[in-house]
Amino acid sequence: MKVILCSLLVFCIFCGFIVEHGKADRKPRIIFDTDMGPDFDDVGAITVLHALAAKGECEILATVSSDSHASVAPTIEIFNQYFGKPNIPIGIASAKAPGFIAHNNWNDSLVLHFLKKKPTEYPNALEVYRKVLASAGRQ
């Protein structure tokens, strides 16, 4: 519980920093980078992020994984689909990145029961960052 609250606090502070230092008439544009696997704090963070986006308070540009475990990107895809944003780009971590997953395999359970299609080939997170940031600079 303490980890979840700390993660949400950091996320809220980060969002507040973006709003405070950005243009007042522009909503924050966010790339969500997550290790969605070894614990549950990122579930709360992605939920808050999607809730803010649904209220028009931010725009989600991409969701990328910093964890190389095979079930992390499909888990992110499940959350994006659940919140009605299936077209948000998803990037995967390099194979050299740590591949941590919870001992209870909650990611695998979600993928097995809720992924509406077979997991696809996801682009590398670095490619997603480059593409999204390049296009955001033109806006």
Side-chain angles (χ1 to χ4, degrees):
M1 184 68 170
K2 191 174 188 180
V3 172
I4 293 171
L5 293 176
C6 288
S7 295
L8 287 175
L9 178 61
V10 168
F11 177 76
C12 291
I13 290 169
F14 177 71
C15 287
F17 176 82
I18 291 172
V19 172
E20 183 68 27
H21 291 81
K23 294 182 179 178
D25 60 338
R26 255 179 111 164
K27 60 185 166 187
R29 297 179 292 170
I30 297 172
I31 298 173
F32 182 63
D33 194 324
T34 177
D35 68 347
M36 183 88 63
D39 47 38
F40 304 105
D41 61 322
D42 295 279
V43 173
I46 200 168
T47 300
V48 169
L49 181 61
H50 275 285
L52 290 169
K55 290 179 71 176
E57 295 183 22
C58 70
E59 179 184 357
I60 306 170
L61 300 179
T63 48
V64 297
S65 172
S66 59
D67 185 321
S68 67
H69 192 277
S71 67
V72 174
T75 301
I76 295 168
E77 186 172 359
I78 289 167
F79 282 100
N80 289 346
Q81 287 175 359
Y82 178 80
F83 289 105
K85 301 288 185 178
N87 297 322
I88 294 174
I90 299 170
I92 58 170
S94 161
K96 294 178 183 178
F100 301 115
I101 201 70
H103 296 292
N104 65 3
N105 297 314
W106 67 269
N107 295 75
D108 295 326
S109 295
L110 284 179
V111 171
L112 178 67
H113 291 93
F114 298 106
L115 192 62
K116 296 177 181 177
K117 59 185 178 71
K118 286 189 175 186
T120 59
E121 292 287 325
Y122 300 96
N124 183 283
L126 184 57
E127 294 172 30
V128 172
Y129 268 109
R130 286 181 177 159
K131 183 177 179 181
V132 168
L133 290 173
S135 81
R138 289 183 237 134
Q139 294 178 359

